[in-house]
Amino acid sequence: QVQLVESGGGLVQAGGSLRLSCVASGTIFKLNAMGWYRQAPGKQREFVASISSGGTTNYADSVKGRVTISRDNAKNTVYLQINSLKPEDTAVYYCNVQHQSARFAPPVEYWGQGTQVTISS
């Protein structure tokens, strides 16, 4: 079982920056892809960014150029740096990881509880 704890959310003025962190703990064998999703009020959860175990990154078009995802494999942590924040970035941000419990085991998806990001105009 893997537990995910996000941090770094808060209330920020438009134009500011935030760095979100997500730490994975528990019985960890291998963390494959790690990523971030967000859900704004009244909207469906949407993909923000992901990073593979090898460091390949993917970004949603809506955040490309403003967001950087990174990971520290030694710390089982994934980060999301968001710059030039806009009011439309207001959402609950969720961490997502694909965990492999053994060498040939299929990956299992885990979600964090989410961290609130609110951008004031």
Side-chain angles (χ1 to χ4, degrees), residues 16-87:
S17 299
L18 271 180
R19 189 193 196 205
L20 306 180
S21 301
C22 172
V23 180
S25 63
T27 305
I28 295 174
F29 177 75
K30 183 182 179 185
L31 295 172
N32 290 331
M34 304 179 79
W36 291 91
Y37 289 70
R38 67 185 182 185
Q39 187 166 17
K43 294 188 176 182
Q44 290 190 337
R45 191 173 297 188
E46 64 175 3
F47 168 78
V48 177
S50 67
I51 183 167
S52 71
S53 57
T56 300
T57 58
N58 281 296
Y59 298 97
D61 287 343
S62 59
V63 300
K64 205 170 287 186
R66 299 191 296 120
V67 166
T68 302
I69 189 170
S70 59
R71 63 190 286 171
D72 185 332
N73 291 327
K75 296 181 179 179
N76 295 326
T77 301
V78 61
Y79 305 97
L80 188 72
Q81 177 74 35
I82 317 173
N83 300 321
S84 303
L85 283 158
K86 306 175 181 179

